[in-house]
Amino acid sequence: MPPISSDALVLRSYKLGETSKVVVLLTRERGKVRAVAKGARGRRSRYQSALEPLSEVRASLYGRQGTELYRLGECELVRSAFRSGARGLDEAMALSYFAELLDAFAQEGEAEDAVYRLALAVVEAVEDGSSVAALARYLEAWLLRLHGLYPSLDRCASCESALPAGDLDYHGSAHGFVCRECGPSSGPGLSESARGYLRRIFGQAPSAVGPAGADESASLEGFHRDLIRRHLERDLRSLRVLRDVAREVR
Ligand SMILES: [Zn+2]
């Protein structure tokens, strides 16, 4: 059977036996897939840095459609995330967070072209030197939105009336922002400027959005973490690492 050829981003890999790895790929054609990379742990592996997280590759996959584990054939490196990761610790940790976030949201075998293009744009923006904190909020917001999990910024989640300009009040049991009549809300609230920053996120390319102010950044970080935790029913590992490191550095 001829292989499936697909552009893909490497999400992660883990050991298989003495010499091989299983690689988790976000492919453009098939969504998230797992593939065995035979001999990938050998010193003369033909894959080399092509299997680093968030490397963009062109992969040949062998296996029937719907298989749980493909075999990886050729894996040509299109763009290495190494240069972005080499910018510094913040960038390296952000990349591992982004990979984990994409992995957690992606469904196996379900192609999501918008998610794929989002991921590529964010990795490129890291390489171009955009603020990784801003890119984290960007990727979170868009992943949530593309999966139908981001509440409307314009309509009350309870009565659907237009939300007035100004601050936003989140109400847990309504799964969204509510108007004053439908309150009191459970919180958290988002300031008018955080709302404005979200509009930029949802209206611009990741490299164009620019960093948020400290208050907006902190409130969006906490808000997104809650939405993600509710969806995944867990915290992401690299997010905990990021927080621990931030504490130690302070
Ligand atoms: Zn309402």
Side-chain angles (χ1 to χ4, degrees):
M1 208 189 312
I4 302 150
S5 178
S6 181
D7 291 344
L9 280 167
V10 177
L11 296 179
R12 65 188 163 96
S13 63
Y14 50 92
K15 293 175 188 174
L16 180 73
E18 291 296 309
T19 57
S20 299
K21 277 182 179 177
V22 173
V23 189
V24 182
L25 297 166
L26 183 66
T27 68
R28 201 188 267 273
E29 312 286 327
R30 303 274 159 120
K32 185 163 84 171
V33 304
R34 284 160 212 277
V36 175
K38 286 210 166 128
R41 290 169 60 209
R43 271 205 298 149
R44 272 181 291 172
S45 160
R46 62 175 162 153
Y47 298 114
Q48 299 189 3
S49 66
L51 302 184
E52 295 297 316
L54 294 184
S55 283
E56 187 186 355
V57 297
R58 193 151 297 137
S60 301
L61 298 164
Y62 293 86
R64 279 178 295 122
Q65 178 156 15
T67 188
E68 290 198 354
L69 199 55
Y70 290 89
R71 183 171 65 77
L72 186 65
E74 294 296 314
C75 188
E76 181 196 336
L77 184 64
V78 176
R79 176 201 292 264
S80 169
F82 179 79
R83 278 216 333 229
S84 317
R87 283 178 165 274
L89 183 61
D90 284 352
E91 283 78 5
M93 286 198 307
L95 287 174
S96 62
Y97 173 54
F98 296 169
E100 192 185 1
L101 196 58
L102 288 162
D103 188 16
F105 272 86
Q107 297 293 315
E108 304 223 1
E110 229 172 83
E112 296 179 297
D113 197 54
V115 170
Y116 191 80
R117 284 183 286 119
L118 167 68
L120 278 188
V122 167
V123 174
E124 282 171 25
V126 177
E127 189 171 329
D128 294 342
S130 296
S131 147
V132 288
L135 292 173
R137 301 299 84 77
Y138 190 96
L139 182 62
E140 291 161 353
W142 268 104
L143 274 179
L144 287 160
R145 175 184 252 200
L146 291 170
H147 289 91
L149 300 166
Y150 214 97
S152 168
L153 305 180
D154 305 307
R155 296 264 154 208
C156 170
S158 186
C159 71
E160 304 206 341
S161 65
L163 289 168
D167 299 351
L168 290 169
D169 294 311
Y170 186 79
H171 191 42
S173 62
H175 301 288
F177 301 111
V178 292
C179 68
R180 216 142 283 155
E181 284 71 43
C182 294
S185 64
S186 64
L190 291 182
S191 67
E192 188 174 10
S193 62
R195 185 181 187 177
Y197 188 69
L198 279 172
R199 290 218 182 282
R200 274 159 63 195
I201 286 179
F202 290 129
Q204 295 178 8
S207 53
V209 167
D215 288 351
E216 291 90 69
S217 184
S219 63
L220 285 180
E221 181 177 0
F223 180 57
H224 289 175
R225 188 167 60 237
D226 284 349
L227 290 179
I228 291 167
R229 184 192 288 140
R230 201 165 304 152
H231 174 60
L232 301 177
E233 298 179 332
R234 64 185 170 91
D235 267 330
L236 293 173
R237 190 176 51 88
S238 40
L239 199 57
R240 285 202 301 274
V241 175
L242 277 172
R243 279 207 298 276
D244 291 346
V245 171
R247 258 198 298 276
E248 276 172 32
V249 169
R250 263 177 213 130

